[in-house]
Amino acid sequence: CGHRFARYADDCNIYVGSRRAGERVMASVSQFIVVKLKLKVNSEKSAVARPWDRKFLGFSFSRDRQPKRRIAWKAAERFKQRVRELTSRTRGVSLRCMTKELSQYLRGWRGYFGQCQTPSVLADFDKWIRRRLRSMIWKQWQRLRMRYRQLRKRGVEGRLAFQTAKSNHGPWRLAKSPALAMALPNAYFDSLGIPRLRVSD
């Protein structure tokens, strides 16, 4: 019939030019599956919709004139939730153990979702991960004296180190502060072996 489609196991997307064509193809394919193949169609997961409103194996499409393959919203949320779990301070594991597990997960995730065509999303994830790590490390330092000492040890000027250490702002906000950006730069996380999701061209 000349339609474009993508299939994996029993999951399939068929791409046509209009909603009317989609409804017609949906009806004929469903009938073929039920009558000829004696299989069941999952009506809850089946629908006629715009490509960007649907997902397939964790991917979807952007609304651009030339659509781009992007990470589906639910896949992105699952990713963030898993990173939160791996970097939770309440896990009671060392920084070395946490970064090892996180690195393994990120490499596997990048191997699959790194094929998206929206690299800016990967760059945003990289920023979010490193901000979360700075926040987590800041919580581990706990007391004003330890925070001040750690900042100074990492090259932060005395006055800025003291102002940051005694700040009443929460860890998430301070994770974007100049002092923590200086004390815990991206190069520091690179040295721990934490991969970046966006690979430089």
Side-chain angles (χ1 to χ4, degrees), residues 8-67:
Y8 180 81
D10 61 348
D11 198 355
C12 181
N13 281 7
I14 302 174
Y15 303 98
V16 295
S18 67
R19 170 168 287 276
R20 179 178 295 182
E23 292 171 349
R24 183 179 67 251
V25 171
M26 177 83 162
S28 62
V29 170
S30 297
Q31 183 179 25
F32 175 79
I33 291 173
V34 173
V35 177
K36 294 291 185 179
L37 301 182
K38 308 298 183 184
L39 298 174
K40 185 178 180 180
V41 174
N42 189 328
S43 57
E44 293 183 1
K45 293 185 177 181
S46 301
V48 177
R50 298 286 190 181
W52 49 81
D53 292 329
R54 304 293 291 172
K55 63 181 181 66
F56 183 66
L57 303 178
F59 288 98
S60 185
F61 289 99
S62 67
R63 294 172 177 256
D64 301 318
R65 182 179 294 275
Q66 292 294 327

Side-chain angles (χ1 to χ4, degrees), residues 79-97:
F79 167 77
K80 284 194 168 185
Q81 181 56 36
R82 182 56 179 155
V83 171
R84 291 187 187 101
E85 293 170 358
L86 289 172
T87 58
S88 173
R89 189 168 63 95
T90 60
R91 292 185 64 206
V93 299
S94 66
L95 179 63
R96 182 177 180 180
C97 180

